[in-house]
């Protein structure tokens, strides 16, 4: 996905299924035919289509997804952001978004600033470590640029167009949102983690530092 929302949809039904549920969503906009097994991002969450007819998309939501995303509190009539999967050769207007939600954030501030709206989000420290100033973040599937951040929060600016065509325009302080951080930082951390476990000094401290990373080609 790219984080460029194609349009909104409305949850029409929620059917419990063995710990998970089947969700039916009606798209507000003309949408290309989605086949069985195709991926679609629902408020940033990558789900698999199990049916599509008359603008209604059916997707199955697993227990893990319900526990890790805002879809666990979804209600009939709720509005969601929709994006079909990226095709090779399409323009990448936002940034690379996997649809694999890292966690949930809470809106802590919402205030106008000239022609924009400044949103402030509170996130767990486990997520904030991957959020950097002027870096990319996906909020409910929307590709946005981080204005500022600290250990527990970050801010973004929403232009009028984004507020109009996505669910963020209807969000208020206290609302919960899906957060997906930029995947690059997570992979870099994972690739260097084996060194932390195997390469240690005699005093038990990690030998991984800026010099070591430079010598081994990571910097």
């Amino acid at each position: 996905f790219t984080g460029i929302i194609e349009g909104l949809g409305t949850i029409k039904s929620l059917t419990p299924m063995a710990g998970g549920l089947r969700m039916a969503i009606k798209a507000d906009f003309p949408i290309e035919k989605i086949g069985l097994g195709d991926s679609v991002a629902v408020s940033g969450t990558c789900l698999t289509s199990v049916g599509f007819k008359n603008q209604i998309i059916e997707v199955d939501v697993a227990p893990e997804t319900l526990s890790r995303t805002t879809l666990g509190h979804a209600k009939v009539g709720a509005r969601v952001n929709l994006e079909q999967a990226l095709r090779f050769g399409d323009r990448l207007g936002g940034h690379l978004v996997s649809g694999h939600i890292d966690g949930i954030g809470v809106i802590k501030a919402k205030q106008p600033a000239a022609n924009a709206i400044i949103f402030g989000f509170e996130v767990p420290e486990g997520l904030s470590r991957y959020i950097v100033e002027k870096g990319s973040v996906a909020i409910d599937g929307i590709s946005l640029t981080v204005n500022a951040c600290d250990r527990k929060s970050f801010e973004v600016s929403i232009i009028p167009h984004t507020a109009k065509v996505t669910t963020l325009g209807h969000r208020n302080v206290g609302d919960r949102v899906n957060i997906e951080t930029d995947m690059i930082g997570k992979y870099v951390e994972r690739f260097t983690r084996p060194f932390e476990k195997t390469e240690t000094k005699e005093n038990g401290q990690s030998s991984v530092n800026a010099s070591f990373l430079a010598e081994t080609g990571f910097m």
Side-chain angles (χ1 to χ4, degrees):
F1 305 98
T2 68
I4 303 300
I5 303 303
E6 295 181 70
L8 298 177
T10 302
I11 298 176
K12 305 302 288 186
S13 67
L14 296 167
T15 305
M17 297 184 67
L21 60 81
R22 177 162 295 181
M23 179 182 297
I25 305 163
K26 185 172 184 179
D28 290 358
F29 58 100
I31 192 169
E32 295 182 17
K33 182 177 177 61
I34 295 178
L36 290 175
D38 287 351
S39 295
V40 58
V42 179
S43 288
T45 308
C46 180
L47 299 173
T48 299
S49 167
V50 296
F52 177 79
K53 184 178 182 181
N54 298 327
Q55 295 298 109
I56 294 181
I57 307 164
E58 289 189 339
V59 293
D60 284 344
V61 189
E64 169 71 5
T65 303
L66 293 175
S67 68
R68 294 288 294 270
T69 74
T70 59
L71 295 182
H73 300 279
K75 297 180 179 180
V76 173
R79 304 284 276 164
V80 293
N81 297 318
L82 296 174
E83 181 189 356
Q84 295 179 94
L86 175 70
R87 293 191 186 94
F88 283 109
D90 283 353
R91 287 182 295 177
L92 184 62
H95 71 283
L96 288 175
V97 177
S98 68
H100 303 157
I101 302 302
D102 293 304
I104 294 175
V106 179
I107 299 175
K108 287 301 182 181
K110 178 184 179 182
Q111 56 186 4
N115 70 331
I117 303 173
I118 305 298
F119 278 85
F121 299 90
E122 182 178 70
V123 291
E125 289 191 31
L127 294 187
S128 64
R129 64 187 298 172
Y130 305 112
I131 298 173
V132 299
E133 186 173 339
K134 303 310 175 187
S136 297
V137 65
I139 301 172
D140 277 348
I142 308 162
S143 175
L144 296 166
T145 300
V146 177
N147 286 357
C149 58
D150 57 32
R151 293 180 63 184
K152 294 185 178 180
S153 64
F154 69 95
E155 291 184 352
V156 299
S157 295
I158 305 298
I159 62 174
H161 175 75
T162 303
K164 180 180 179 180
V165 301
T166 74
T167 57
L168 268 183
H170 307 285
R171 294 292 194 180
N172 296 303
V173 172
D175 287 350
R176 290 150 54 92
V177 294
N178 293 321
I179 302 289
E180 181 187 336
T181 60
D182 193 359
M183 65 177 73
I184 295 176
K186 291 179 286 188
Y187 277 110
V188 170
E189 181 184 68
R190 181 64 184 89
F191 291 152
T192 59
R193 192 172 296 165
F195 292 109
E196 297 174 1
K197 294 180 179 180
T198 59
E199 297 290 338
T200 58
K201 297 178 181 179
E202 291 183 359
N203 61 9
Q205 296 180 349
S206 173
S207 63
V208 178
N209 52 35
S211 298
F212 174 79
L213 293 176
E215 291 172 1
T216 52
F218 284 96
M219 295 179 62

